[in-house]
Amino acid sequence: MGRSRRTIPEELLLLALDPATGTTAQPQSLDLGLAGAQLVELALAGRIAPDGDRIAVVLPRPTGDPTLDSALELLRRRGSPVRAVHWIGGPRLGLRQTYLAHLERCGMVHAVAGQMCGVLPTTRYQATDTAISREIKARLDSAIRTGVPPDPRTAALAALAHAVGLGKHLYPGNEGRSSRSRLRDLIRHDPMGGLVAHAVMDVQNGVAQQPRRTPARPNAGDRSGVPVQSRHGGMARAAVH
């Protein structure tokens, strides 16, 4: 893969970057979205393919993108298809920071050092060319406004933007309600993007931690035949820095 085209993880992160504050919207869910965006990008590159609700490696050859190739190698080492929800819900230490540093090396953002409360060191990231972010959002706007089915990359980006909760960041207030609704509807235009976006939302809703259940059988102490629902753990989250 050359650098003539921005990857979906890069575009998702640029969409989430607030030009006024230099911070990212929805930071915790964004880490999940970046992991999902890597899967979509690898699928578009022909390296992986969906297998039901699982992801299978079909071509382990490197793409030339170090961040994508790291994910591809981890998938290859699994040896068998992995459920998308389990992959996305796994630990992703510093994935957002990795991509921010990557964008900085590519010249798309620059780091601005600062302090919180005059003591704690902080780093904000400002886009070096806001036209790039405007162009990315314009593609979403066009798909929302025209109703014409978008290309797979834009459809997947829209699905992930909705899944991580960027709708209110991109289309705020009551006036943006219809746009947020149409953004959500774009999820149906790309099967891989839809699979990954639903997996991101499932992780946030705690589905990744829920074991598969078989129907309960009535016993002498329960003549109603209604299975008793067990309790499950809390939401699985990717680690963030």
Side-chain angles (χ1 to χ4, degrees), residues 153-212:
R153 301 184 72 83
T154 302
L157 180 63
L160 287 162
H162 165 71
V164 303
L166 289 183
K168 291 184 178 180
H169 169 69
L170 299 171
Y171 305 103
N174 289 332
E175 65 275 14
R177 183 177 300 173
S178 61
S179 292
R180 293 195 298 270
S181 177
R182 288 193 289 270
L183 180 71
R184 179 196 62 216
D185 292 342
L186 291 176
I187 200 170
R188 71 182 186 275
H189 289 295
D190 179 62
M192 185 65 180
L195 168 66
V196 169
H198 280 111
V200 169
M201 291 185 284
D202 283 347
V203 172
Q204 294 179 84
N205 292 329
V207 175
Q209 286 190 344
Q210 295 183 8
R212 293 180 180 271

Side-chain angles (χ1 to χ4, degrees), residues 88-114:
I88 291 169
R92 293 290 176 270
L93 295 175
L95 186 58
R96 178 163 34 97
Q97 188 60 42
T98 295
Y99 268 103
L100 284 168
H102 173 70
L103 290 178
E104 186 178 18
R105 288 193 301 271
C106 293
M108 284 189 270
V109 303
H110 68 276
V112 179

Side-chain angles (χ1 to χ4, degrees), residues 44-56:
L44 289 171
R47 294 331 194 252
I48 64 174
D51 181 5
D53 68 343
R54 296 175 183 268
I55 302 298

Side-chain angles (χ1 to χ4, degrees), residues 5 11-13 21 37 54 73-74 79 83 98 101 109 138 151 163 167-168 189 198-199 214-215 237:
R5 173 180 287 174
E11 293 197 328
L12 183 66
L13 185 51
T21 65
R54 296 175 183 268
E73 177 61 15
L74 288 174
R83 288 186 67 203
T98 295
V109 303
D151 63 274
K168 291 184 178 180
H189 289 295
H198 280 111
T214 55
R237 297 192 307 180

